[in-house]
Amino acid sequence: MSHIDSPKDLKKLTLDELTQLAQELREFIIDIVSTKEGHLGASLGVVELTIALHYVFDTPNDKLIWDVGHQAYGHKILTGRKEIFETNRQLGGISGFPKMTESMYDDFGTGHSSTSISAILGMAMASKLGGNLSKQHIAVIGDASIASGMAFEGLNHLGVTDVNALIILNDNAIGIDPSVGALKKYLTNVKAGTAKDENIFECLNLNYSGPLDGHDLSALVAELERLKTVPGPKLLHIITTKGKGLKKAEEDQVVYHAPGKFDKLTGERVKKTGAATPPKYQDVFGYTLVELAKRNEKIVGITPAMPTGSSLKFMMDEIPERAFDVGIAEQHAVTLAAGMATQGLIPFCNIYSTFLQRAYDQVIHDVALQKLPVIFCLDRAGLVGQDGPTHHGVFDLAYLRCIPNLTIFAPMNEMELRNIMYTAQLGLQGPIAIRYPRGNGVTLEWKNDFEKIGLGKARCLKKGSKLAILSMGHIGNTITSIIETLGNPETVGHFDMRFVKPLDKETLLTVFDQYQHIITVEDGCKMGGFGSAVLEFANDEGFSKPIKIFGIPDNFIEQGNISETHQLAGIDFDAILTFVKSTLDQCE
């Protein structure tokens, strides 16, 4: 593989040499990801397909889109990024997903699933309008992603066009978790030869071929060469194994989607050692939901295709009849929860913050407008680290705060998360969004007895006299550490505001009356977020005291570890500490 730096080099090889290249490419991916971490199984599963596509088609003149992009590592390595691939997902390095500004071979940025068909159709229509009928347009999409509403919208339109577009359905029966739904059952029947006579894709007016072994390079090359000569919209159905080439990754496809560090020879994951650590917020959610559901038979759980990542899997294992994975279908998940709420059920709808953006209309019209008591649990809120800007959950406070009838809560620790979940299932007059970060909390002994939380009530963690720091959610623990570093000065007060909406105006009136300077801290965007809410309050009440807002600036934050992304955003420990010290100097 040492002499392969671009698809042009690839085209000089024989089919036998391509097979050897596939082995070397797999080993290269395993070698790097074993130490640098990242998404493993998806890229291993499409090694042969990646080679075949760049061998047969004239990229980047021909357009190639990888849906989601988890499987694009081989693509990146073969398109000039081999020497810098070890920087994948690192600060200042290449993105873990296709990115248009990174390479001319990345024809479309794909961090969220199911967008590839619409995007490739747009490109194909543009080529036709420009009179270029020979250019090829290829989208690679998985069986989990193609079940999404947006993918079906794209297929529905594609089928009534005559553009030169090829959809490759990479069927491995798994996304991150196993695929679900009726389409999965249909594809299983197709592979088994027991499907009904009519082919769903042919019924959508696509020229269908397959199923084909996606690990047979010769067969792939031959079929792709044939399809180059077939006009109009077409779909090639290939069968692959996620994690292909690493036994452990094939055996445990969920864990080895993104396994962390592992032994590149045996596949064994590197065990973390050291002192006990607090649990992940995701696990606190999962265990607490099971605990509450055993007490309250009206509770149901819903997730759009992330049962393991969100820990709804705990409820799916213990109370499967009341826990639902609806596939990559965020809009459906929200309105499904709304329908359940109308019938007296108590739906906990768990969606990653960045993915709830895809169901914004449903949150407004189907839930909030009708005051339905859906409990949204927004996982991965705030900066999430190396998945980068497509996955940072930094817009939720702003885009939810403007919706009437909606309560918004951010727990500072595990007990607060448990207590708000307990409070919500006791009965609400409308929906609530509970947002919490990716990763560990702060408390080892977190299984407290449940306590009801007063809606819209903040907590005073430390009284002061001159400088008040108002924090929202988990980042409040950074403020506690900063105050401890300062020696707990009597001039600094700390308030865990908890509710972005409704704001605790009584507490805010006290703060603006008693303190000279106010600082707000959040791990969400400044524009329209928690700090903006405090500014609006101050303006309405006629206060003119200085307010400093720490939050995500008006730009997309790139990838890096959590600490690095906080520094990029200017909400890290040192940045806040420096400002607090300078403000305290002014107070003296």
Side-chain angles (χ1 to χ4, degrees):
M1 202 176 79
S2 59
H3 59 290
I4 304 296
D5 294 310
S6 75
K8 288 182 180 179
D9 298 326
L10 197 66
K11 296 178 191 298
K12 301 172 185 176
L13 303 181
T14 65
L15 279 175
D16 286 342
E17 288 172 325
L18 289 182
T19 301
Q20 176 61 32
L21 176 65
Q23 177 64 27
E24 294 175 8
L25 182 54
R26 270 202 178 85
E27 291 173 356
F28 186 85
I29 292 171
I30 291 170
D31 185 41
I32 298 292
V33 179
S34 67
T35 58
K36 297 295 184 178
E37 303 187 21
H39 297 102
L40 179 69
S43 286
L44 293 182
V46 294
V47 163
E48 288 83 6
L49 176 64
T50 304
I51 292 171
L53 285 169
H54 284 294
Y55 185 74
V56 171
F57 294 102
D58 181 25
T59 56
N61 294 316
D62 291 335
K63 301 292 106 179
L64 172 62
I65 298 179
W66 299 89
D67 201 272
V68 185
H70 288 144
Q71 71 273 50
Y73 286 6
H75 160 80
K76 291 200 170 202
I77 293 163
L78 295 177
T79 54
R81 285 163 279 184
K82 178 178 62 183
E83 299 303 325
I84 57 173
F85 187 68
E86 64 178 16
T87 70
N88 184 46
R89 303 174 80 246
Q90 309 297 313
L91 180 68
I94 62 174
S95 170
F97 302 97
K99 188 175 182 179
M100 291 179 67
T101 55
E102 185 179 291
S103 169
M104 62 181 178
Y105 289 95
D106 291 0
D107 290 308
F108 201 74
T110 48
H112 289 184
S113 84
S114 313
T115 61
S116 61
I117 297 174
S118 297
I120 207 68
L121 175 55
M123 293 176 184
M125 293 174 74
S127 293
K128 184 185 177 187
L129 288 170
N132 188 341
L133 303 180
S134 61
K135 181 180 286 190
Q136 305 288 326
H137 309 84
I138 309 101
V140 181
I141 185 167
D143 59 290
S145 295
I146 205 169
S148 170
M150 186 176 179
F152 262 93
E153 292 170 23
L155 287 172
N156 186 50
H157 186 186
L158 176 63
V160 294
T161 70
D162 58 357
V163 299
N164 189 15
L166 168 62
I167 310 303
I168 299 179
L169 172 56
N170 175 30
D171 185 357
N172 58 18
I174 189 169
I176 297 176
D177 285 276
S179 302
V180 296
L183 185 61
K184 177 200 175 175
K185 290 187 176 182
Y186 168 76
L187 293 174
T188 300
N189 291 338
V190 169
K191 287 179 278 190
T194 59
K196 294 178 180 179
D197 291 340
E198 286 189 306
N199 180 292
I200 189 172
F201 301 111
E202 290 177 343
C203 291
L204 290 171
N205 204 34
L206 304 179
N207 188 321
Y208 173 89
S209 58
L212 187 70
D213 181 356
H215 300 300
D216 185 335
L217 249 171
S218 297
L220 280 174
V221 168
E223 182 59 14
L224 292 175
E225 290 283 10
R226 185 188 75 82
L227 288 169
K228 278 173 67 173
T229 67
V230 176
K234 42 205 172 277
L235 184 140
L236 171 61
H237 183 184
I238 69 169
I239 312 302
T240 62
T241 300
K242 188 172 183 178
K244 179 75 171 178
L246 185 66
K247 190 168 183 288
K248 286 282 186 182
E250 292 182 30
E251 292 172 348
D252 194 342
Q253 295 175 328
V254 173
V255 168
Y256 281 81
H257 172 76
K261 294 181 180 180
F262 61 94
D263 186 298
K264 65 181 180 182
L265 298 177
T266 66
E268 290 288 346
R269 297 169 72 209
V270 176
K271 292 183 172 62
K272 294 180 180 178
T273 58
T277 56
K280 295 179 180 178
Y281 277 99
Q282 292 70 39
D283 290 347
V284 173
F285 160 79
Y287 287 124
T288 301
L289 185 61
V290 170
E291 191 177 342
L292 291 170
K294 287 180 177 178
R295 297 185 184 193
N296 188 341
E297 62 184 15
K298 292 184 178 180
I299 289 176
V300 291
I302 301 168
T303 182
M306 302 303 293
T308 300
S310 70
S311 292
L312 188 70
K313 187 76 164 55
F314 299 160
M315 186 176 179
M316 292 176 71
D317 288 341
E318 290 206 39
I319 318 174
E321 69 277 9
R322 286 160 52 200
F324 308 95
D325 176 1
V326 301
I328 302 174
E330 294 86 0
Q331 295 174 325
H332 167 58
V334 171
T335 305
L336 175 72
M340 289 176 164
T342 66
Q343 302 305 303
L345 294 180
I346 303 171
F348 280 78
C349 187
N350 186 299
I351 303 182
Y352 290 8
S353 170
T354 184
F355 295 145
L356 187 66
Q357 294 160 190
R358 311 185 105 190
Y360 192 51
D361 180 75
Q362 286 71 22
V363 173
I364 295 173
H365 287 174
D366 299 340
V367 178
L369 180 62
Q370 305 185 103
K371 296 185 178 179
L372 294 173
V374 173
I375 302 164
F376 293 107
C377 295
L378 305 190
D379 197 342
R380 270 65 167 181
L383 294 166
V384 297
Q386 293 172 327
D387 279 339
T390 58
H391 283 61
H392 294 320
V394 298
F395 305 110
D396 52 4
L397 295 180
Y399 73 67
L400 292 175
R401 192 171 71 83
C402 60
I403 302 175
N405 302 330
L406 181 65
T407 298
I408 308 169
F409 182 93
M412 185 171 157
N413 55 41
E414 299 90 328
M415 292 77 72
E416 291 286 282
L417 175 55
R418 281 171 58 78
N419 286 338
I420 195 64
M421 290 175 67
Y422 168 74
T423 302
Q425 57 88 45
L426 291 176
L428 297 171
Q429 298 305 307
I432 185 171
I434 306 165
R435 54 107 65 182
Y436 48 90
R438 178 182 191 173
N440 299 92
V442 291
T443 314
L444 287 173
E445 301 298 327
W446 56 274
K447 285 195 175 182
N448 59 296
D449 291 335
F450 292 118
E451 297 178 15
K452 186 175 180 180
I453 289 177
L455 295 182
K457 297 298 181 183
R459 296 189 302 161
C460 178
L461 302 180
K462 179 183 178 299
K463 291 184 178 180
S465 57
K466 295 184 178 180
L467 171 64
I469 305 178
L470 314 178
S471 64
M472 183 55 59
H474 177 79
I475 200 169
N477 296 290
T478 299
I479 304 306
T480 298
S481 298
I482 286 172
I483 292 173
E484 290 172 353
T485 300
L486 293 168
N488 290 301
E490 62 183 22
T491 52
V492 179
H494 181 199
F495 296 83
D496 172 24
M497 294 303 293
R498 304 198 294 186
F499 289 90
V500 179
K501 188 177 183 178
L503 281 173
D504 187 341
K505 293 185 177 180
E506 185 178 339
T507 293
L508 287 177
L509 285 170
T510 301
V511 166
F512 276 88
D513 183 56
Q514 296 181 357
Y515 293 83
Q516 299 172 21
H517 296 267
I518 290 89
I519 298 173
T520 71
V521 184
E522 62 197 295
D523 60 350
C525 60
K526 282 185 187 180
M527 297 181 70
F530 164 61
S532 290
V534 174
L535 276 176
E536 292 164 13
F537 166 84
N539 181 66
D540 289 345
E541 297 294 332
F543 292 112
S544 58
K545 292 180 177 180
I547 302 169
K548 168 66 176 179
I549 298 176
F550 280 93
I552 311 299
D554 186 25
N555 56 269
F556 290 104
I557 303 298
E558 295 302 316
Q559 79 268 6
N561 63 37
I562 296 292
S563 175
E564 290 167 341
T565 54
H566 277 231
Q567 289 176 17
L568 289 173
I571 59 171
D572 58 293
F573 181 98
D574 289 339
I576 300 173
L577 174 62
T578 299
F579 185 85
V580 170
K581 281 182 175 179
S582 66
T583 304
L584 288 177
D585 289 341
Q586 296 174 31
C587 292
E588 293 178 358

